Amino acid sequence: VIVNTSSVNGLGGVPTASLYAAAKAGVLALTKSAALEYAGQGIRVNALVAGSFDTPMREAVIDHLTGGDAERRQAVEDYYARLIPLGRGGSPDEAAQAAVWLCSDAASYVTGHSMIVDGGMSAAYR
């Protein structure tokens, strides 16, 4: 089983992040192509399409946007939370649980799938 990691940014355009969006869209195309190529060998290939998670990468982005200012940081975090129907970023453990499921026998008939794990953030756009 192979689980590639993509991002909701790979589902469409992202202002000021075109290269990142293109790379993550490429991961989705690679996942589908590899799933078709390797299914006959019993290899399943899927993608975890991550939304906003509490990770060092997200922290670095927020620091960059706010210059480390605590008040501006809180405003950015509140803004992101409003974009997510569940009202919060995900924990790394929640992303891991989705990946573990994709690797498990419970997902034995799943291949070529892009599993979006984003708290509902992209639901209105897909």
Side-chain angles (χ1 to χ4, degrees):
V1 178
I2 297 169
V3 177
N4 293 320
T5 305
S6 187
S7 166
V8 293
N9 291 327
L11 299 175
V14 182
T16 73
S18 58
L19 296 176
Y20 182 76
K24 294 304 180 175
V27 169
L28 297 177
L30 172 66
T31 297
K32 293 174 190 323
S33 296
L36 294 170
E37 291 173 16
Y38 294 104
Q41 296 171 39
I43 299 171
R44 296 184 296 108
V45 185
N46 294 292
L48 174 69
V49 183
S52 179
F53 283 86
D54 297 327
T55 63
M57 180 179 157
R58 191 183 100 173
E59 294 300 310
V61 168
I62 293 174
D63 282 343
H64 177 75
L65 292 172
T66 64
D69 178 87
E71 191 172 306
R72 289 177 61 205
R73 180 180 192 75
Q74 188 60 53
V76 169
E77 288 178 357
D78 291 345
Y79 170 76
Y80 279 132
R82 287 191 302 274
L83 295 176
I84 303 168
L86 289 181
R88 63 177 179 81
S91 74
D93 186 58
E94 289 171 309
Q97 289 177 43
V100 167
W101 182 81
L102 286 170
C103 292
S104 76
D105 289 341
S108 64
Y109 199 60
V110 179
T111 194
H113 180 60
S114 299
M115 177 179 274
I116 300 171
V117 183
D118 69 354
M121 186 172 70
S122 66
Y125 308 106
R126 52 181 164 85

